[in-house]
Amino acid sequence: MSLAPKLIFCCSSIVVMTGIASAQSLTGNVGSAGVTSGEQAAEFRLGIDDTGLAQSRIHYEQAFSDWYQLRAIVSLRRDNGEAWDYSGFTVENWFQWAEEQSDGAGFHGGLRLAYTFADGTADDEFNVRLALTDRFASSWEWRANIIAGFETGNQRTDGADLQSRLQITKAVPLTLFNTDEWRFGAELYSEYGNSENFLGLEDQAHQVGPVVKTTWRNGIYMQVGFRSGLTDGSDDYMGKFFVGREF
């Protein structure tokens, strides 16, 4: 796909999403758009913020073609050291519309559509994500996600809750813990509020921090990150730990 159609698709997707209503999660990722036919993975995620809130999720995903992947997610949460509670089940559909090069380099883009069945105390939610990825200059990679979601229950809020996530990492020639596949970088998570009533800058939630990613030859992969708040509307600190395996 040439650059012009890519830009048209990106812009039109953003316009569509501004009419939709998702809140940033402690277990959220700056996701790639890549889909590889037959690939499967299982993953566990854990995130904790400075208030004592903890969230975790377990998911399984499978790609049925080079352009479609399905993911099922079970989410849990714990408030201030209390017992873990079930918070929702999500079905997420991935569609890759622009393919990277055969060696994984270059640009690729995709769209994710997800529906979360909440635990009963909250409204269900439909979520749309535009995911863009580009590997360049041999060792660098940037990722960008633009996210919108809307509540679907009787007590739903009108308008769209809008977010963006940015990440840039670099492959580092490091051998540690029996692997030499390490990427170090930084990421920025932003929540802008609802499209019906955008928040002022200081009331928006913007967090930035370092991230480390690694993989092993047996398919196990891991990600560790830490973010701190930049505005009054942000949580002061959060940390995350993801571990999974592709097979």
Side-chain angles (χ1 to χ4, degrees):
M1 182 182 289
S2 65
L3 180 59
K6 291 175 184 175
L7 294 176
I8 292 171
F9 183 92
C10 295
C11 294
S12 62
S13 297
I14 294 169
V15 170
V16 169
M17 288 189 297
T18 59
I20 301 177
S22 170
Q24 178 182 304
S25 166
L26 293 175
T27 56
N29 188 29
V30 187
S32 168
V35 176
T36 302
S37 182
E39 192 172 85
Q40 303 175 64
E43 185 174 326
F44 170 78
R45 298 183 182 182
L46 176 66
I48 302 173
D49 70 13
D50 59 292
T51 69
L53 173 64
Q55 295 178 343
S56 69
R57 62 183 254 188
I58 301 169
H59 76 237
Y60 169 81
E61 62 192 49
Q62 180 171 352
F64 294 95
S65 71
D66 284 330
W67 60 269
Y68 175 69
Q69 180 166 298
L70 179 66
R71 173 187 281 178
I73 304 166
V74 175
S75 300
L76 306 168
R77 64 178 287 148
R78 185 183 68 180
D79 296 296
N80 298 319
E82 298 178 357
W84 284 96
D85 291 321
Y86 167 79
S87 60
F89 176 75
T90 301
V91 177
E92 185 175 58
N93 299 274
W94 296 19
F95 302 93
Q96 183 172 358
W97 54 269
E99 190 77 20
E100 70 275 25
Q101 299 172 19
S102 59
D103 62 357
F107 174 87
H108 55 289
L111 193 67
R112 301 187 188 184
L113 306 176
Y115 193 90
T116 297
F117 300 90
D119 65 350
T121 62
D123 287 321
D124 293 350
E125 185 177 88
F126 179 67
N127 182 286
V128 179
R129 179 190 308 214
L130 176 66
L132 309 173
T133 307
D134 189 16
R135 287 198 175 186
F136 63 99
S138 179
S139 59
W140 288 88
E141 178 186 86
W142 65 260
R143 296 182 176 189
N145 292 176
I146 301 172
I147 305 170
F150 63 89
E151 297 175 347
T152 62
N154 293 330
Q155 304 300 316
R156 65 182 179 274
T157 301
D158 292 335
D161 291 327
L162 303 176
Q163 304 178 38
S164 66
R165 301 175 185 174
L166 303 173
Q167 181 188 91
I168 185 165
T169 59
K170 185 181 189 301
V172 177
L174 173 67
T175 300
L176 188 65
F177 302 122
N178 296 317
T179 181
D180 59 2
E181 297 288 335
W182 291 89
R183 303 192 69 87
F184 289 78
E187 51 189 15
L188 171 67
Y189 280 50
S190 298
E191 295 180 359
Y192 304 100
N194 190 279
S195 61
E196 297 287 306
N197 182 24
F198 278 108
L199 300 173
L201 178 60
E202 281 302 313
D203 293 322
Q204 296 174 10
H206 299 275
Q207 291 182 317
V208 65
V211 63
V212 179
K213 302 192 287 187
T214 187
T215 61
W216 283 265
R217 292 182 180 178
N218 61 3
I220 294 176
Y221 57 90
M222 182 179 69
Q223 180 178 154
V224 179
F226 174 84
R227 298 195 304 270
S228 59
L230 298 175
T231 56
D232 292 341
S234 310
D235 291 335
D236 290 336
Y237 303 103
M238 69 79 62
K240 65 178 183 180
F241 171 76
F242 303 168
V243 61
R245 184 172 185 178
E246 294 180 346
F247 50 89

